Amino acid sequence: MVALTAFRLHRGAHLPRACLAGWRLSRLWPGLEGAVGLWLWAEPGARRIGSVSVWRSEADLRAFVRLPAHVAIMRAYRGRGKLVSATWTSGAPDLWEEARSHGVEYSEPPG
């Protein structure tokens, strides 16, 4: 299961704290049930941040979404920007090309 998120903040002033919140949440990653991979990205000039996460199952992704730390972040930033997301199951060798096909803008992975 793959989840792609892109969040564009209305105000650049919120970007540093939003990035920090995402980074802190990512520190939980090694202990999360079913977590396979995670990539965080930011485009400061565009006031955009996001992630691509890979999960063993949809149930594992849903468990993450319900985590109190994740819920707190979502509540804190509700109304401060526009969130776009997509989820899908994948076995594709080129996850980035597949992500692009879902029509959600995201920052390209390095190199």
Side-chain angles (χ1 to χ4, degrees):
M1 173 65 57
V2 180
L4 170 65
T5 63
F7 186 58
R8 181 178 166 89
L9 291 144
H10 297 312
R11 297 183 54 219
H14 296 298
L15 186 63
R17 286 187 185 212
C19 286
L20 182 59
W23 177 78
R24 284 181 175 155
L25 184 62
S26 76
R27 292 179 9 193
L28 299 175
W29 192 260
L32 296 176
E33 182 71 27
V36 176
L38 174 66
W39 178 59
L40 301 176
W41 56 268
E43 292 180 299
R47 302 184 316 272
R48 292 185 36 193
I49 57 176
S51 67
V52 175
S53 60
V54 181
W55 302 88
R56 187 179 54 214
S57 69
E58 183 175 356
D60 295 326
L61 170 59
R62 289 185 187 275
F64 166 74
V65 169
R66 289 190 305 265
L67 277 178
H70 181 261
V71 171
I73 290 171
M74 297 305 290
R75 286 183 179 151
Y77 288 91
R78 183 178 293 148
R80 293 187 181 189
K82 180 180 177 186
L83 176 67
V84 179
S85 65
T87 60
W88 66 94
T89 56
S90 177
D94 187 349
L95 182 61
W96 307 114
E97 183 60 36
E98 190 174 29
R100 189 177 297 109
S101 75
H102 283 272
V104 178
E105 290 183 36
Y106 67 95
S107 181
E108 291 287 332

